[in-house]
């Protein structure tokens, strides 16, 4: 607002920011100290200023005198306005003002006047900074003052006055009076998030309104979108959707050379959580809820055909119905004003979740899942700096389309059944139905609607409602995604004698290998939400001084180790953490194992996937664990000094013979680790 214009003509499009897609919990406005017929405002705030060289912190103090009360039809004019800006000396260097002896200029301060939940912006321009000497050391203190516009009051109700963005135009000069640069330097500063930017609260009395009252009808509205479909306390999952693809949403093409598999519906559900941003408002809101999921609605397969097509093709189409809780978060209106609201998201029809990738899960090719859904958004409980604003019960954005993707190769990875990270951007459409007594649709649309709004969701593993699925991997009721590992970090595990049998085929122990000791070094992630297939890495793993029987005896002493490091540590894909016994089944993955001695070396490569599996059983929180080498593959790169029975292409396998050798592969770890499945409980 400026120049005494009325409340209904001063609103700018930036005020629509209160309509944030994602928002919550305002700050309580403070009041100045009343002295007779006036009240003094004296507020110090932390600001961040944007310089060409980067952001700097500053302190801004705003002082002014306001009337103690107001009356409808009478103007309110702040008097004695002074803005004191304290900048570090590095600010002058960042503005190419090195060598300045004095600085002067002007300050423009944005303010927000909110009455009855209706905000109005007014600018305090042209506050003068007199020529000020730059001290030899310490910060630079600039004081700006001058007259500011009055505000016309048209109705009763408290007026909350807050300050915000500050624009500083500096004119640094050298000792001889010449300018330090070709033009004046401009700086934009905004209050730090979390600052209470309120200057004063001015009660305005009138018929039907006592001081301190606010507009009726603020907040309220329709019930949560989950209310009509909320699950009963004894149900594992929210209501299931129909097992049908949403044909209103785009689907990827189906290659001509694939076959459609018989439908195998798997009803399930999963937790979801994450956040979404409103780009224009520099704000975000948490998201949390559950999704009913039906897997196997439609699938298309092309079997691998080496060498032309070693990976094959698999397209799996699934559907989901998501129920998100009402979300709240804080964002900034005008780039500075704490504004809050409650958002409800309702999914319109099924979401399609389509995964496309290779047949083998261990292929080097990625499996990418695309989730597409249409949603409706409603806003209510809107507050500006703690003051309610009545937007009515039907303030909504038009239906919007959300497209999220997840990758099996990312960290966190994503597969529909295992969960993980989904992310994407969305375009917020226009708003309608906003406002009571006045139309706020265009304002909300101008400040909020637009492209580039980031969304990130973490889905937990599904809870299958039918079938004999391992509850350690697919827990019911649903749990959050990922492990919590304590303390994590570097570890070292050592063993005594390790015994394997090695043979040309499974179950034929024609060769025996005994290693007197081995060592494993690695690093585990620490914290919560850790991807189950990326718990950590093995940086070193070596079986030392090994000797063999049969044809391996001629090798003398040899070592066994991975041919490529680091190795990924994951939980076992079908066993995981048994929460009854505390046993965690792990898997180390490597392309090959290498056997080497002074005169012979050869690699063992998996024959049915791109990686070799080394399994381990770890009693949760203990110091002892067991490693089982279960490599089945073929020999590669056999050197000339090896026995003739070891030739490239022949099958070979390592097996820990736990039945005969009870101490085989038993390790002691230096730092006990605790694993919890499902991340941090809500």
């Amino acid at each position: 607002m400026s120049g005494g214009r009325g409340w209904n003509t001063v609103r700018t499009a930036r005020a629509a920011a209160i309509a944030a897609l994602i928002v919550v919990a305002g700050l309580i406005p403070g009041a100045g100290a009343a002295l007779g017929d006036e009240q003094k405002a004296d507020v110090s705030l932390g600001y961040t200023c944007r310089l060409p060289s980067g952001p700097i912190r500053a302190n801004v103090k705003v002082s002014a005198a306001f009337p103690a009360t107001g009356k409808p039809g009478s103007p309110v004019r702040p008097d004695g306005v002074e803005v004191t800006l304290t900048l570090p000396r590095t600010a002058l260097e960042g503005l190419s003002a090195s060598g300045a002896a004095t600085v002067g200029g002007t300050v423009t301060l944005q303010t927000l006047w909110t009455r009855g939940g209706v905000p109005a912006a007014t600018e305090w321009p042209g506050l003068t900074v007199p020529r000020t000497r730059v001290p030899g050391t310490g910060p630079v203190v600039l004081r700006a003052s001058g007259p500011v516009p009055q505000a016309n009051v048209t109705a009763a109700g408290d007026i909350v006055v807050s300050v915000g963005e500050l624009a500083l135009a500096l004119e640094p000069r050298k000792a001889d009076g010449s300018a330090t640069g070709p033009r004046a330097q401009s700086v934009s500063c905004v209050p730090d998030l979390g600052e209470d930017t309120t200057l004063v609260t001015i009660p305005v009395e009138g018929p039907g309104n006592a001081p301190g009252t606010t507009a009726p009808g603020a907040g309220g509205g329709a019930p949560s979108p989950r209310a009509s479909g909320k699950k009963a306390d004894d149900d594992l999952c929210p209501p299931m959707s129909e097992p049908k693809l949403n044909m209103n949403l785009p689907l990827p093409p189906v290659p001509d050379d694939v076959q459609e598999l018989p439908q195998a519906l798997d009803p399930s559900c999963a937790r979801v959580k994450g956040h979404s941003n409103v780009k224009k408002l520099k704000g975000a809101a948490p998201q949390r809820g559950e999704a009913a999921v039906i897997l196997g609605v439609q699938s298309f397969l092309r079997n691998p055909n080496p060498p032309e097509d070693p990976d094959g093709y698999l397209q799996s189409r699934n559907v989901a119905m998501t129920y998100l809780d009402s979300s709240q978060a804080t964002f900034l209106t005008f780039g500075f004003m704490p504004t809050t609201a409650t958002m409800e998201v309702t999914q319109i029809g099924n979401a399609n979740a389509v995964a496309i990738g290779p047949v083998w899960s261990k292929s080097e090719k990625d499996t990418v899942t695309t989730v597409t859904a249409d949603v409706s958004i409603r806003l209510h409980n809107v507050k500006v700096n703690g003051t309610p604003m009545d937007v009515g019960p039907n303030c909504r954005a038009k239906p919007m389309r959300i497209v999220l993707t997840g990758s099996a190769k990312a960290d966190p990875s994503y597969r529909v059944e295992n969960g993980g990270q989904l992310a994407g951007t969305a375009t917020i459409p226009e708003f309608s139905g906003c406002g009571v007594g006045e139309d706020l649709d265009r304002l909300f649309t101008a400040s909020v609607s637009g492209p580039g709004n980031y969304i990130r969701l973490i889905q937990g593993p599904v809870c299958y409602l039918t079938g004999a699925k391992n509850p350690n991997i697919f827990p019911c009721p649903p749990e959050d995604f990922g492990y919590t590992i304590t303390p994590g970090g570097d570890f070292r595990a050592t063993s005594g004698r390790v015994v394997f049998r090695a043979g040309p085929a499974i179950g034929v122990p024609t060769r025996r290998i005994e290693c007197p000791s081995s060592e494993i070094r690695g690093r585990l992630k620490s914290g919560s939400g850790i991807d189950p297939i990326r718990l950590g890495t093995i940086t070193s793993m070596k079986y030392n001084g090994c000797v063999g029987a049969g044809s391996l005896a001629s090798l003398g002493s040899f070592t066994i180790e991975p041919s490529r490091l680091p190795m990924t540590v994951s939980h076992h894909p079908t066993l995981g953490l048994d929460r009854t016994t505390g046993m965690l089944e792990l898997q180390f993955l490597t392309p090959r194992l290498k056997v080497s001695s002074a005169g012979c070396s050869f690699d063992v490569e998996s024959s049915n996937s791109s990686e070799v599996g080394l399994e381990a059983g770890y009693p949760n929180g203990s110091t002892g664990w067991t490693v089982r080498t279960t490599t089945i593959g073929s020999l590669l790169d056999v050197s000339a000094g090896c026995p003739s029975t070891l030739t490239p292409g022949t099958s070979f396998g390592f097996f820990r013979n736990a039945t005969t050798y009870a101490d085989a592969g038993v390790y002691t770890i230096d730092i006990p680790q605790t694993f919890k499945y499902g991340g941090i409980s809500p």
Side-chain angles (χ1 to χ4, degrees):
M1 181 174 66
S2 64
R5 288 179 291 177
W7 285 100
N8 292 330
T9 62
V10 298
R11 206 171 298 118
T12 67
R14 299 173 76 186
I18 55 172
L21 209 187
I22 302 167
V23 290
V24 49
L27 301 177
I28 302 300
L35 297 175
D37 293 333
E38 70 174 18
Q39 54 178 320
K40 293 285 189 180
D42 193 354
V43 177
S44 293
L45 302 167
Y47 270 62
T48 298
C49 299
R50 295 184 289 268
L51 274 64
S53 58
I56 62 167
R57 301 296 299 278
N59 180 266
V60 174
K61 180 181 178 182
V62 181
S63 301
F66 293 84
T69 60
K71 293 182 179 181
S74 299
V76 173
R77 181 187 297 276
D79 291 321
V81 174
E82 183 175 88
V83 177
T84 304
L85 180 66
T86 303
L87 294 167
R89 290 189 60 81
T90 53
L92 296 182
E93 299 169 4
L95 290 170
S96 302
S98 296
T102 63
V103 293
T106 59
V107 166
T108 298
L109 184 65
Q110 298 289 339
T111 66
L112 190 70
W113 296 59
T114 303
R115 184 199 58 78
V118 179
T122 184
E123 186 175 84
W124 290 353
L127 299 174
T128 302
V129 179
R131 183 75 34 196
T132 303
R133 185 179 65 84
V134 177
T137 59
V140 179
V141 180
L142 305 175
R143 291 180 174 85
S145 60
V148 299
Q150 70 180 22
N152 286 347
V153 181
T154 59
D158 288 357
I159 298 175
V160 180
V161 184
S162 305
V163 297
E165 186 173 359
L166 180 150
L168 173 65
L170 279 181
E171 296 180 354
R173 295 188 180 276
K174 299 178 182 178
D176 60 4
S178 62
T180 60
R183 58 183 182 273
Q185 304 293 328
S186 298
V187 181
S188 177
C189 307
V190 295
D192 296 334
L193 187 63
E195 292 279 13
D196 184 350
T197 60
T198 302
L199 283 180
V200 292
T201 298
I202 305 172
V204 178
E205 299 184 24
N209 290 83
T213 60
T214 57
S224 164
R226 187 167 178 162
S228 61
K230 188 173 182 180
K231 65 183 181 180
D233 292 339
D234 56 348
D235 290 337
L236 293 174
C237 295
M240 304 301 299
S241 55
E242 291 291 324
K244 295 179 180 179
L245 293 164
N246 190 337
M247 304 311 295
N248 294 321
L249 304 174
L251 288 167
V254 178
D256 295 333
D257 57 348
V258 300
Q259 59 176 317
E260 184 172 356
L261 300 178
Q263 192 178 62
L265 300 180
D266 249 332
S268 63
C269 60
R271 280 187 183 176
V272 292
K273 64 179 181 179
H275 71 271
S276 51
N277 291 346
V278 180
K279 183 178 179 180
K280 285 186 178 180
L281 301 178
K282 301 179 178 63
Q287 303 288 355
R288 193 170 184 88
E290 288 186 0
V293 184
I294 298 179
L295 294 90
V297 174
Q298 202 171 28
S299 299
F300 303 94
L301 171 72
R302 182 178 65 239
N303 282 314
N305 184 24
E308 293 82 6
D309 184 16
D311 299 300
Y313 175 91
L314 179 62
Q315 182 182 138
S316 175
R317 297 178 170 183
N318 318 280
V319 297
M321 177 61 72
T322 303
Y323 300 88
L324 291 176
D325 300 330
S326 297
S327 63
Q328 297 179 322
T330 300
F331 68 99
L332 296 179
T333 308
F334 298 87
F336 69 87
M337 180 59 58
T339 305
T340 67
T342 299
M343 178 186 69
E344 294 176 353
V345 179
T346 304
Q347 185 174 309
I348 304 172
N350 281 346
N352 294 339
V354 182
I356 299 177
V359 173
W360 299 116
S361 62
K362 293 182 181 179
S363 169
E364 294 185 359
K365 288 188 176 180
D366 197 3
T367 294
V368 177
T369 302
T370 302
V371 179
T372 309
D374 286 338
V375 301
S376 173
I377 298 169
R378 183 177 82 91
L379 299 173
H380 63 94
N381 258 354
V382 179
K383 295 180 180 180
V384 179
N385 207 36
T387 301
M389 177 181 184
D390 192 359
V391 299
N394 296 303
C395 182
R396 300 178 184 273
K398 294 182 179 180
M400 61 184 289
R401 181 153 295 174
I402 296 174
V403 180
L404 307 177
T405 59
S407 165
K409 299 294 185 183
D411 188 4
S413 60
Y414 182 82
R415 291 183 183 273
V416 177
E417 63 275 19
N418 297 325
Q421 175 177 282
L422 290 164
T425 58
T427 297
I428 301 174
E430 299 84 0
F431 282 81
S432 63
C434 301
V436 174
E438 52 191 330
D439 188 352
L440 300 178
D441 295 346
R442 294 176 61 186
L443 298 181
F444 281 34
T445 297
S447 289
V448 179
S449 302
N453 303 284
Y454 180 70
I455 301 172
R456 178 179 181 266
L457 293 179
I458 299 294
Q459 177 206 308
V462 300
C463 156
Y464 285 106
L465 300 181
T466 61
K469 304 297 193 299
N470 187 344
N472 296 324
I473 307 299
F474 307 107
C476 288
E479 293 189 5
D480 289 341
F481 174 83
Y483 279 83
T484 297
I485 304 178
T486 307
D490 295 328
F491 70 88
R492 175 175 179 262
T494 57
S495 78
R497 185 181 66 151
V498 179
V499 178
F500 304 101
R501 64 175 189 247
I506 298 176
V508 183
T510 56
R511 304 183 184 93
R512 177 176 175 275
I513 298 174
E514 181 175 335
C515 308
S517 67
S518 68
E519 179 185 78
I520 300 174
R521 290 181 180 268
R523 181 174 182 82
L524 293 171
K525 295 180 180 180
S526 179
S528 60
I530 298 171
D531 193 336
I533 67 171
R534 290 178 176 83
L535 300 177
T537 55
I538 301 295
T539 57
S540 173
M541 181 177 188
K542 181 176 289 187
Y543 298 88
N544 304 300
C546 305
V547 294
S551 60
L552 295 177
S554 61
L555 300 180
S557 176
F558 55 87
T559 61
I560 303 172
E561 57 188 323
S563 60
R564 186 185 302 173
L565 291 168
M567 300 162 63
T568 300
V569 180
S570 67
H571 80 173
H572 194 285
T574 59
L575 299 175
L577 172 63
D578 189 321
R579 283 165 288 184
T580 302
T581 65
M583 179 63 71
L584 173 64
E585 293 292 336
L586 298 170
Q587 193 174 64
F588 312 147
L589 303 177
T590 181
R592 298 180 183 180
L593 285 180
K594 177 178 286 293
V595 178
S596 57
S597 67
C600 168
S601 65
F602 59 87
D603 287 349
V604 181
E605 183 179 65
S606 175
S607 59
N608 61 359
S609 69
S610 64
E611 294 178 302
V612 171
L614 302 167
E615 298 178 1
Y618 178 64
N620 199 9
S622 73
T623 58
W625 59 331
T626 303
V627 174
R628 302 178 291 278
T629 308
T630 58
T631 301
I632 306 167
S634 58
L635 302 186
L636 301 173
D637 307 325
V638 179
S639 64
C642 292
S644 59
T645 54
L646 301 176
T647 58
T650 58
S651 61
F652 195 89
F654 285 116
F655 305 94
R656 182 180 74 87
N657 193 336
T659 303
T660 306
Y661 305 98
D663 61 343
V666 176
Y667 287 76
T668 300
I669 188 171
D670 57 347
I671 303 176
Q673 303 288 336
T674 299
F675 295 82
K676 178 182 177 182
Y677 189 71
I680 297 177
S681 300

